[in-house]
Amino acid sequence: MKAVLRPPLSWHAARRWVPLAALLAALCTALPAQALRIKEVAAVQGVRSNQLTGYGLVVGLDGTGDQTTQMPFTTQAMSNYLQQMGISLPPEMASRLQLKNVATVIVTAQLPAFAQPGQTIDVNVSSMGNSKSLKGGTLIATPLRGADGEIYALAQGNLVVGGAGASAGGSKVQINHLSAGRIPQGAQVERAVPTPLHDGDSITLGLNASDFQTARRVAQAINARLGAGQAMALDGRTVQVRAPTLPGARVNFIADLEELQIETAAPSAKVVINARTGSVVLNQAVTLGPCAIAHGNLSITISSTPVISQPGAFSQGQTVVAQKSDIQIRQEPGNILQIPASPQLADVVRALNTLGATPQDLLAILQAIKAAGALNAELEVI
């Protein structure tokens, strides 16, 4: 057994942890395996979306655009746009432009699989300068490029900004975010992305999570429905399936294939810890071996009191302010808690709840239990 020394929390903090532990125990009780469709655990490789991005200008702002003295690329972008429209400005005049109603933005979009020219997609618009608000602005024609540098869509339209704000006399009130917006159906697809869906005499299914048991069950379900030898699990992530070569027949084949049901395997025991928020999530496969935990308390209090030294009359001295610090250290003895073996998640949560620790303290306790070999689960910190 291994003892772990951690500071306990107050009774009120421990009481706040009790409902959370009870909720975890109620929600995470072991559930029997359930049937899922193949489309819920795997996807056809090659059928994917593509990310698009572009650099553009938003005009029509009510004096909330970029401050061009600090954002010179806004002036340059506007000069380039005017030049494309046939308006050329002398360099000295272009450098003195004060464009309070213009803001430079980054436009992003997601091009779905099989998107064809003429179809529309949604775009997100985010300010890249010091614009105060994009509300009421209009995005002018902005080409959206893929990772290969080619133009796949053209975005333009009026922004929808889900926020509001007002300021006066040095006071400011703002609701939600004003420097980002969205244009529904704001981009038109100009080029289609070829997919390898109809290449070869087989398709490959990629599992959402790497698991050999799930890959085997997917192959078994396909072979049971279509005949032996139709599907083969290549590894814990991919399953190769023989498919018709005609486009229409292959589409029907994939549609029927995705509706096949499989029995999902029990997940591997895992504890996920969010070190930033202190959240701890355990799945139903987590078990706990017998162990002993020492839980103590150490508090350090530092207080400062100002001390003023006043000079005597007619001494022409100066008043001096000093700080007097008082440091107190208090340490309470820790109690050793004997935790028995816990075969179910409800028992694990109940055993950890007896420590009276908050999730923040539970992070270190779980790591120490894992290091001692008493936690039968994979520990993942995100």
Side-chain angles (χ1 to χ4, degrees):
M1 299 182 184
K2 187 174 181 179
V4 181
L5 183 59
R6 292 295 300 165
L9 289 165
S10 64
W11 179 81
H12 295 286
R15 188 176 65 175
R16 288 196 301 267
W17 170 245
V18 171
L20 177 60
L23 180 61
L24 285 174
L27 294 179
C28 301
T29 305
L31 298 175
Q34 57 181 353
L36 294 177
R37 295 176 297 176
I38 289 181
K39 67 188 305 181
E40 296 168 352
V41 299
V44 180
Q45 287 190 359
V47 180
R48 45 157 291 185
S49 59
N50 292 272
Q51 305 299 326
L52 304 179
T53 183
Y55 170 85
L57 292 170
V58 171
V59 298
L61 302 176
D62 188 13
T64 59
D66 293 339
Q67 298 179 10
T68 54
T69 56
Q70 302 176 7
M71 301 296 161
F73 47 81
T74 303
T75 303
Q76 182 179 356
M78 196 64 192
S79 299
N80 295 340
Y81 178 77
L82 293 177
Q83 189 173 3
Q84 294 177 3
M85 297 293 103
I87 302 175
S88 298
L89 297 177
E92 61 276 5
M93 183 179 295
S95 61
R96 294 196 303 267
L97 289 177
Q98 297 295 323
L99 306 174
K100 296 182 179 181
N101 298 337
V102 181
T104 54
V105 294
I106 293 295
V107 185
T108 58
Q110 187 170 343
L111 184 67
F114 311 119
Q116 299 299 317
Q119 296 179 350
T120 56
I121 56 177
D122 299 341
V123 297
N124 297 315
V125 181
S126 304
S127 173
M128 63 175 296
N130 54 9
S131 173
K132 297 180 180 179
S133 174
L134 297 180
K135 197 173 185 66
T138 300
L139 176 71
I140 59 178
T142 302
L144 301 181
R145 304 175 185 272
D148 56 357
E150 298 292 336
I151 297 176
Y152 288 91
L154 193 65
Q156 182 172 282
N158 298 323
L159 272 72
V160 177
V161 179
S167 60
S171 300
K172 179 180 179 181
V173 177
Q174 179 174 320
I175 301 176
N176 295 333
H177 208 51
L178 298 176
S179 59
R182 187 174 177 86
I183 307 178
Q185 307 296 312
Q188 190 174 50
V189 179
E190 301 293 337
R191 181 194 300 240
V193 178
T195 59
L197 179 64
H198 301 294
D199 296 345
D201 58 353
S202 64
I203 60 173
T204 302
L205 298 178
L207 301 184
N208 299 333
S210 180
D211 185 73
F212 288 97
Q213 182 69 267
T214 304
R216 182 177 69 172
R217 293 190 178 187
V218 169
Q220 289 176 347
I222 297 174
N223 290 330
R225 179 68 178 270
L226 303 179
Q230 291 294 321
M232 178 177 60
L234 302 180
D235 50 40
R237 195 86 183 202
T238 56
V239 178
Q240 190 176 43
V241 184
R242 296 175 58 184
T245 56
L246 295 178
R250 177 161 293 193
V251 171
N252 294 334
F253 175 81
I254 295 176
D256 296 336
L257 188 68
E258 290 181 335
E259 295 297 324
L260 295 181
Q261 293 187 348
I262 62 170
E263 292 292 334
T264 58
S268 58
K270 179 176 288 189
V271 178
V272 180
I273 297 175
N274 191 322
R276 296 181 297 275
T277 63
S279 303
V280 180
V281 179
L282 305 83
N283 65 8
Q284 70 269 21
V286 176
T287 59
L288 189 65
C291 61
I293 301 177
H295 202 49
N297 185 25
L298 175 65
S299 62
I300 301 176
T301 304
I302 302 176
S303 59
S304 297
T305 303
V307 177
I308 301 176
S309 177
Q310 185 72 25
F314 306 107
S315 63
Q316 298 188 4
Q318 295 182 353
T319 302
V320 178
V321 179
Q323 296 289 336
K324 180 182 177 181
S325 299
D326 184 18
I327 302 176
Q328 297 179 355
I329 300 178
R330 184 179 61 183
Q331 184 173 7
E332 298 177 0
N335 298 323
I336 298 180
L337 302 179
Q338 181 72 30
I339 297 181
S342 305
Q344 295 182 356
L345 178 60
D347 299 329
V348 174
V349 175
R350 191 178 301 108
L352 297 177
N353 187 35
T354 60
L355 299 176
T358 63
Q360 286 290 352
D361 283 338
L362 203 57
L363 302 182
I365 293 176
L366 287 172
Q367 293 180 28
I369 296 176
K370 175 64 177 178
L375 182 62
N376 303 320
E378 177 186 355
L379 201 60
E380 181 179 350
V381 181
I382 61 176

